[in-house]
Amino acid sequence: QYAVRSLEKASGSETGGTLSIIDIDQLEGPEQNIIEEIRSHRIRHLILPFEPALKKEVLLAIKKELPSLQLYGTLHFTMGAERRSIPWKYYEGMYVISAGPLWFQGEGGISDYIFPKSRYASVQTAVSLVIEAIKQAGTDREAIKNYILEMDTFAGLTGPISFDKSGNLSGRPKVFRIIQGKLEPVTY
C-alpha cells in the first residue's frame, strides 16, 4: 500500500493528473470483470507494482481485449515473475524495471551481457556494499551509514550505484521491454 501511495503522489506531482488505482487481485469473477474495470476507468497505461498474482490466462485476455493498453512492471513485479518462472513471452511488449544486465567478456574479448535474477543481483550488490563499508569505516552502524552516504559511487554487480544525501538510490532505473520473449534494454 505504501508503494502505491508513493506512486500516486509522485505521478500527481509530475503530471498534475491523478491515478486510477484498481486492486485487480480483489476483483471477483472472470477475466471480463477485470477488463471492464480497466475500460470503465479509461486506463491507457497499467502499472503492475507487485508480484504477478494475475494468472497468465487473465493477462492474455487483457492483452487480447485491450491491445492498446500499455503494461509496466516494477522491480518487485520483475522479481515475482522470475520467482514464479513465468516465461517472459506472456508479457510481450511490457516495460519492466530490472536489476539490469551483467556485462561479461565473451569469447574473443567480445563484451556481452546476461540478465541475472533481479533479487540475486540486488542482494549481492547490497551485501557487497555493506562489506565494503565495514572494511572502510569499521563496524559502527553510524559510521557505515555515513560512509555509504558520502561515497561517490559503488561498483555493484549491475553497474555503478550511488545515493543522494537522504539515502535514496540515485540515477535512472534500468528499464527493459519484453520483445520476442526476451528483455531488451530501453534507452531514454
Side-chain angles (χ1 to χ4, degrees):
Q1 290 294 346
Y2 176 75
V4 173
R5 285 194 305 271
S6 295
L7 177 63
E8 185 176 22
K9 183 179 175 182
S11 176
S13 68
E14 288 289 321
T15 66
T18 59
L19 290 177
S20 294
I21 298 174
I22 301 172
D23 190 351
I24 291 178
D25 293 339
Q26 298 300 315
L27 293 176
E28 297 289 328
E31 295 88 10
Q32 200 58 40
N33 290 359
I34 295 171
I35 292 167
E36 290 310 316
E37 187 71 16
I38 293 169
R39 276 192 181 127
S40 73
H41 284 86
R42 296 186 175 136
I43 293 173
R44 296 184 326 227
H45 300 272
L46 182 64
I47 299 170
L48 302 172
F50 305 111
E51 293 182 24
L54 291 175
K55 295 178 191 168
K56 70 178 178 189
E57 293 80 15
V58 175
L59 185 63
L60 291 172
I62 289 171
K63 290 177 68 169
K64 179 180 177 189
E65 295 288 323
L66 303 166
S68 63
L69 178 67
Q70 184 58 63
L71 297 174
Y72 305 88
T74 63
L75 180 60
H76 192 81
F77 174 90
T78 304
M79 287 183 203
E82 290 170 347
R83 192 185 78 204
R84 293 177 186 210
S85 301
I86 299 170
W88 288 118
K89 68 181 181 180
Y90 293 112
Y91 303 106
E92 186 67 26
M94 184 175 188
Y95 290 91
V96 295
I97 305 287
S98 178
L102 295 176
W103 293 94
F104 68 95
Q105 214 54 27
E107 288 185 33
I110 298 170
S111 291
D112 203 353
Y113 60 89
I114 57 172
F115 288 89
K117 297 290 186 187
S118 299
R119 182 171 282 123
Y120 165 77
S122 298
V123 168
Q124 195 277 345
T125 295
V127 169
S128 296
L129 174 61
V130 172
I131 289 170
E132 181 62 23
I134 290 170
K135 286 180 183 176
Q136 298 298 322
T139 57
D140 178 68
R141 290 179 78 153
E142 193 68 23
I144 294 169
K145 180 184 89 171
N146 289 336
Y147 174 81
I148 291 171
L149 287 175
E150 293 169 7
M151 68 177 198
D152 285 330
T153 59
F154 176 76
L157 183 62
T158 59
I161 61 169
S162 61
F163 299 90
D164 65 18
K165 294 300 176 194
S166 300
N168 299 311
L169 195 58
S170 297
R172 292 179 163 203
K174 292 169 178 67
V175 178
F176 299 87
R177 188 161 192 205
I178 301 166
I179 307 289
Q180 297 178 345
K182 297 180 181 173
L183 292 169
E184 297 291 336
V186 173
T187 357
Y188 62 101

